[in-house]
Amino acid sequence: MSAAEPQPSDRKHVDHNGSEPVTLLHPCVDALSSHIAVLDEDGVILAVNEAWRRFADDNQFAGVNYGIGSNYVDACQPTSGESTDCLAAVAGLRDVLHGRRAQFQMEYPCHALAGNRWFVLRVTRVTAPGQARLVVAHENVTERREAEEALRADSRRKDEFLALLAHELRNPLAPIRHVLQIMRLSGGHGQLLHSAFEIMERQIGHMVRMVDDLLDVSRISRGRIELQVEEIELASVIHQAVEAATPHIANMNHKLTVTLP
């Protein structure tokens, strides 16, 4: 949001009237990492801190005196097209300026020469001798946003993996249930039971491997799930696929014919 980015200031910390504050407050404000400016009741910048000036230098601010003496509300107006962030910032600034609210805060992206970053804008109305003043602070929260995005990405990877694995875990259950029915109806037929045991052994082994993957949550969170590429016999893959699908085919009263070369 270019229009709501911190506007620069002067090097000497002079205010709009030309006086030079000598109190301890200014060195303390200069030590803060937030970009801070003080505005008068019309929105004119009276003074800024060192972080504000550094930001202006890093982004090659072309204005005069780091923006002191200019109207900050005017500077926040959108310059081209619609900008929801700029409009929200201006509305919040005006609310605080006119006393409709004591504080305003919003988070916005800042796309500048030094890179894409995120800031929190805080506007606070304070009572000063004589007239009201506004303190505008822009705090860089890019690291926090990046950490949050990394956590969201990890969560998405886990969700995708678990959804896929949950679906895959269902596939062996149908053949196992089907085999149990065959065993119940086989009447102790040796060859039939032997074939049924082989099917169950394969499907249970498949489930064990998937459960092992599911339990290894640390690899999932680090995105370290790896595919092992190896040559396999295509006929065995087809056989296992037919084996898994057979119960569903039987339930639908369908007939499947497989012809292999």
Side-chain angles (χ1 to χ4, degrees):
M1 185 184 73
S2 59
E5 293 170 14
Q7 302 298 319
S9 90
D10 72 330
R11 291 286 181 188
K12 294 184 179 180
H13 261 313
V14 297
D15 63 18
H16 190 41
N17 297 321
S19 61
E20 296 189 25
V22 293
T23 65
L24 182 62
L25 176 62
H26 289 82
C28 293
V29 174
D30 270 341
L32 298 176
S33 60
S34 297
H35 314 150
I36 298 175
V38 179
L39 315 182
D40 67 11
E41 67 278 6
D42 296 320
V44 175
I45 300 175
L46 301 177
V48 299
N49 72 339
E50 179 63 25
W52 186 291
R53 296 196 297 269
R54 286 197 304 268
F55 183 88
D57 289 338
D58 291 343
N59 292 278
Q60 302 178 13
F61 176 68
V64 179
N65 200 25
Y66 289 91
I68 289 183
S70 62
N71 191 290
Y72 184 73
V73 179
D74 292 341
C76 289
Q77 295 288 346
T79 55
S80 62
E82 289 297 324
S83 174
T84 303
D85 291 329
C86 290
L87 294 173
V90 170
L93 281 164
R94 286 177 173 165
D95 282 346
V96 179
L97 277 172
H98 298 151
R100 290 190 288 268
R101 57 198 300 182
Q103 291 180 329
F104 169 74
Q105 177 175 317
M106 66 173 288
E107 192 168 305
Y108 67 93
C110 173
H111 305 307
L113 296 175
N116 296 333
R117 291 156 295 182
W118 281 86
F119 285 87
V120 170
L121 166 65
R122 293 185 178 91
V123 184
T124 306
R125 186 180 182 89
V126 296
T127 302
Q131 295 176 322
R133 295 288 185 264
L134 264 66
V135 176
V136 175
H138 296 260
E139 181 181 353
N140 192 328
V141 293
T142 304
E143 290 186 3
R144 190 206 76 199
R145 289 283 302 212
E146 290 176 347
E148 291 174 350
E149 181 56 36
L151 288 173
R152 284 192 290 268
D154 285 344
S155 179
R156 284 194 298 270
R157 284 196 295 267
K158 286 182 182 180
D159 291 344
E160 291 168 0
F161 179 81
L162 293 175
L164 176 63
L165 197 57
H167 176 74
E168 292 298 322
L169 281 170
R170 290 175 60 89
N171 290 338
L173 295 178
I176 291 174
R177 185 182 296 111
H178 186 61
V179 166
L180 290 174
Q181 293 176 353
I182 292 175
M183 293 173 63
R184 187 181 299 111
L185 300 174
S186 66
H189 189 280
Q191 183 60 37
L192 193 59
L193 287 176
H194 179 72
S195 176
F197 287 142
E198 287 184 340
I199 293 175
M200 289 186 66
E201 185 177 14
R202 281 195 300 271
Q203 297 298 333
I204 291 174
H206 184 47
M207 291 184 69
V208 168
R209 288 193 298 272
M210 287 189 290
V211 170
D212 287 341
D213 286 340
L214 178 60
L215 294 176
D216 197 351
V217 178
S218 62
R219 282 194 299 139
I220 301 172
S221 62
R222 298 196 307 270
R224 297 293 298 274
I225 300 297
E226 297 179 356
L227 296 178
Q228 296 180 353
V229 181
E230 60 183 16
E231 293 184 356
I232 60 173
E233 184 181 358
L234 183 58
S236 65
V237 177
I238 296 175
H239 176 72
Q240 292 178 26
V242 172
E243 185 178 279
T246 296
H248 302 292
I249 295 171
N251 289 337
M252 298 296 293
N253 294 321
H254 291 173
K255 180 180 179 182
L256 172 66
T257 302
V258 179
T259 303
L260 298 178

